[in-house]
Amino acid sequence: TMDYFYPTIAPLHMLAENEGVADEVTGVVALPKLVRASYSLLDPAGIYLLASGGSLMLWFGRQVSPSLLQAAVGVSALEQIDTKVHTVPEVSTALNQKIRAIADGLVPTRAGYANVQIVRQGMDQAEVHFASLLVEDRNNDNMTYVDFVCAIHRQIQVEARPKGPSEPKWSYH
């Protein structure tokens, strides 16, 4: 259930040689160092894959270089990315193969590929949903992830406090 409460965000624009590659023995794909779920930590010149609750979002910052776009998805401008497709576009580059391996590793499916929502920074309506998944940021007056965990902790402390002799030790609301 953790995946539903806190998304996994993998930066794809600076993968090391061993990241995005399956281990020969275990078959597990090596992930890059993950990023915390905050918009302030996303590089506008980067590409990120967000996995949350069984779905994937591929986010492109508005300052991604044409060469990085070409290697990642086979186009040279953000406007050329087809946002209606729901898979990582298949291109015969090492970076694209790594991105698809990471996507499949984060959300394995029976069909052989994961359903991916493409999000371009400042261009797509889907960015509103993407931003709502960044739980460390305040969104629409909701609590941040840290505020939520602290509130739950306080509630547990209140519930666990011993009651007086005539009161029951636990109360259910």
Side-chain angles (χ1 to χ4, degrees):
T1 59
M2 186 63 181
D3 193 34
Y4 287 92
F5 294 112
Y6 197 93
T8 300
I9 303 176
L12 305 174
H13 53 284
M14 51 186 181
L15 295 175
E17 190 173 319
N18 67 323
E19 296 170 339
V21 178
D23 181 88
E24 292 177 10
V25 176
T26 65
V28 175
V29 175
L31 295 177
K33 183 177 179 189
L34 302 177
V35 176
R36 290 181 22 221
S38 175
Y39 212 101
S40 66
L41 299 176
L42 301 181
D43 182 353
I47 302 171
Y48 296 85
L49 187 64
L50 180 146
S52 178
S55 64
L56 292 173
M57 299 184 95
L58 186 59
W59 183 87
F60 294 87
R62 73 173 68 117
Q63 298 171 8
V64 174
S65 72
S67 61
L68 180 57
L69 279 173
Q70 191 69 43
V73 291
V75 299
S76 58
L78 285 176
E79 296 78 15
Q80 297 172 334
I81 299 173
D82 185 359
T83 59
K84 293 180 179 89
V85 298
H86 292 286
T87 61
V88 176
E90 194 167 336
V91 182
S92 59
T93 64
L95 179 59
N96 180 267
Q97 291 171 356
K98 287 180 174 194
I99 290 172
R100 287 186 289 113
I102 290 170
D104 290 341
L106 287 175
V107 181
T109 63
R110 288 187 205 114
Y113 61 89
N115 189 22
V116 179
Q117 173 73 49
I118 305 290
V119 181
R120 300 170 298 174
Q121 184 182 21
M123 297 176 70
D124 299 320
Q125 188 64 30
E127 191 172 18
V128 173
H129 178 61
F130 178 84
S132 73
L133 296 173
L134 301 177
V135 295
E136 291 201 20
D137 297 334
R138 290 193 183 274
N139 289 312
N140 302 322
D141 294 328
N142 290 330
M143 287 189 276
T144 67
Y145 176 73
V146 173
D147 293 340
F148 173 74
V149 171
C150 288
I152 294 295
H153 182 70
R154 279 192 300 275
Q155 185 66 32
I156 290 169
Q157 287 179 325
V158 167
E159 293 293 327
R161 225 178 272 148
K163 306 281 184 183
S166 62
E167 298 177 50
K169 186 171 182 176
W170 299 96
S171 64
Y172 299 95
H173 302 284

